[in-house]
Amino acid sequence: MTTRALVVDDDRDHGELVARQLRTLGYDVDVCDEPTDGMTLAEQQPYAIVFLDLAMDSMNGIEFCENLRAQGNQVPIVIATGFSSIDMVRAAMAAGANDYLLKPIADEDLTESVRRLMIEN
């Protein structure tokens, strides 16, 4: 089983915060601030989990999820965003996300999400 994680967030500081927490959980982490770069990485190597910002310029998190799922990639995806609208949550889950966390993400919430998704998958 891979212990690699991918974080895709156009807010580089937030991406690094998530990566730091994932590293404390034992993951090797790749961080991208450009969604197309993240998609390329996800196509090239297996990840145990992907953390994904919802609102990005060149490709939003929903499009990223849809593209990854269309390729048959079933990696667990956690959406990390400031949007709390139930419609946004539903859209993210319909696109293939496995979990939805609000920014700023508390370390405990991130840890619990990762542990739950690793047990499920």
Side-chain angles (χ1 to χ4, degrees), residues 1-6 27-28 30 40-50 68 73-76:
M1 181 175 124
T2 185
T3 58
R4 294 202 68 75
L6 175 62
Y27 287 87
D28 295 316
D30 294 323
T40 299
L41 284 172
E43 292 168 349
Q44 293 175 345
Q45 61 188 328
Y47 286 98
I49 194 163
V50 172
L68 209 55
N73 191 328
Q74 294 303 310
V75 63

Side-chain angles (χ1 to χ4, degrees), residues 52-106:
L52 182 60
D53 186 21
L54 190 60
M56 296 181 283
D57 290 333
S58 63
M59 177 189 313
N60 68 42
I62 290 172
E63 293 167 324
F64 191 103
C65 283
E66 290 171 340
N67 290 340
L68 209 55
R69 296 303 188 228
Q71 296 172 10
N73 191 328
Q74 294 303 310
V75 63
I77 298 173
V78 178
I79 296 287
T81 186
F83 295 110
S84 61
S85 156
I86 191 66
D87 290 335
M88 293 302 285
V89 173
R90 286 182 182 140
M93 299 308 240
N98 299 87
D99 203 357
Y100 192 98
L101 299 175
L102 292 177
K103 290 181 180 181
I105 301 172

